Amino acid sequence: MISRTTLIAVTDQTYQPTLSQLRAFVAVAEYRHFGTAAARLSVSQPTLSQALAALEHGLGLQLIERSTRRVLVTAAGMRLLPKAMATLEAADRFVASATGDGLGGTLRMGIIPTVAPYVLPALLPELQKKLPALHPQVIEDQTARLLDGLRTGVLDVALLALPTDIPGLIEIPLYTEEFVLVTPRGHELAGRTDLAPAVLDSLPLLLLDEGHCLRDQALDLCRSAEVHPAAVGDTRAASLATVVQCVAGGLGVTLIPEMAVASETARGTLGTAHFATPAPGRTIGLAYRTSTARAEDYEYLAAIIRTMRPS
């Protein structure tokens, strides 16, 4: 049973929460686990609990509901969470400006799974070199959950496919990449560079599981071309690596983004084919809240990411 705590509305209008208290609240709201939140903040769990309790007492509001099994954010907590995040962003920016380090402090960066493995190996060392005061926290997840994290203030930025069509977000297009057809080695389509989307008709097309934007993009391509691949949904996977291994095993063909081709076909057990111009593809970009105080910093971050596109 979730514990119920009665708090009297704040009467002392001079109360000012500390940054430590706000960080405790945001961390618990993000991870929904006191132990994990304490570890990420490098404090003890009792210290974290005391900071959160002091914040709730000072505000006269219950922000977090605790039980032995789960941690929930209350309605008041959800309302105040974006404001707490904005306050911490402003504080981090203030410190970075004072030290002349530009973009610094913690950056919670969400990335979709069909981008993260192919961008991070080059991006993280580059961020360390160009922004040594920055401490990125990478959260790999599906698009819907990343967008929810942006809306609630749990994430600062997200690297995903555009457009998102979500009000309150600024989107910076970074690059466009084509979709490539991956086939078993020796397939009749392997090596071609003049494919039309109609070629997908009746092919056994393997897709990622529901919730992945790449799955939706592949299905949108099929609908726009009025083609009907065979066996769509019979085999589904949570990662591109699994999908292409199924292709190598002869279970069908798949569509993968251009940036993933070199990595996922390196073993030489697969064939590839390219579509004729204009080839179907997607636009990858950086999204962040319109309310952020760090828009200029995120523009610079986007410029760095744009140079990290794998060849």
Side-chain angles (χ1 to χ4, degrees), residues 114-129:
T114 55
V115 169
Y118 317 109
V119 169
L120 290 178
L123 177 59
L124 292 180
E126 189 71 6
L127 291 180
Q128 177 63 33
K129 181 174 67 175

Side-chain angles (χ1 to χ4, degrees), residues 26-270:
V26 170
V28 173
E30 177 179 357
Y31 298 108
R32 308 296 173 95
H33 189 277
F34 277 76
T36 302
R40 295 308 294 264
L41 293 178
S42 300
V43 299
S44 68
Q45 192 166 327
T47 298
L48 178 83
S49 298
Q50 291 167 10
L52 178 60
L55 178 63
E56 291 181 319
H57 180 76
L59 296 175
L61 293 171
Q62 184 177 14
L63 305 175
I64 301 293
E65 292 185 2
R66 314 141 171 92
S67 76
T68 56
R69 294 186 177 181
R70 59 180 178 174
V71 173
L72 299 176
V73 183
T74 67
M78 293 300 294
R79 176 173 58 85
L80 292 176
L81 181 59
K83 295 179 175 60
M85 290 292 300
T87 300
L88 294 175
E89 286 178 355
D92 288 341
R93 184 178 174 85
F94 173 79
V95 173
S97 297
T99 58
D101 289 332
L103 181 58
T106 299
L107 178 76
R108 297 177 175 85
M109 181 168 58
I111 309 182
I112 55 176
T114 55
V115 169
Y118 317 109
V119 169
L120 290 178
L123 177 59
L124 292 180
E126 189 71 6
L127 291 180
Q128 177 63 33
K129 181 174 67 175
K130 291 187 175 180
L131 299 168
L134 185 68
H135 305 290
Q137 294 180 356
V138 175
I139 297 90
E140 183 186 55
D141 212 334
Q142 295 178 3
T143 300
R145 287 194 284 269
L146 294 184
L147 292 174
D148 185 61
L150 281 177
R151 285 193 298 265
T152 59
V154 171
L155 294 177
D156 300 313
V157 298
L159 190 59
L160 35 64
L162 302 181
T164 65
D165 297 322
I166 300 296
L169 295 183
I170 292 176
E171 301 174 357
I172 306 176
L174 299 177
Y175 55 83
T176 298
E177 59 178 350
E178 298 179 0
F179 292 146
V180 176
L181 184 69
V182 178
T183 71
R185 186 169 56 185
H187 192 277
E188 61 181 355
L189 296 177
R192 288 182 54 179
T193 59
D194 60 347
L195 298 183
V199 76
L200 298 174
D201 198 32
S202 300
L203 284 178
L205 184 63
L206 308 182
L207 301 174
L208 289 171
D209 207 351
E210 292 181 1
H212 290 273
C213 61
L214 184 59
R215 172 187 175 86
D216 297 334
Q217 292 155 2
L219 292 176
D220 286 343
L221 171 61
C222 293
R223 281 190 288 267
S224 64
E226 298 183 347
V227 298
H228 304 281
V232 168
D234 291 353
T235 296
R236 294 183 294 185
S239 70
L240 284 182
T242 300
V243 172
V244 297
Q245 288 308 309
C246 289
V247 173
L251 299 186
V253 301
T254 194
L255 292 170
I256 68 173
E258 183 182 8
M259 70 164 67
V261 171
S263 174
E264 299 300 345
T265 64
R267 295 184 180 181
T269 57
L270 296 160

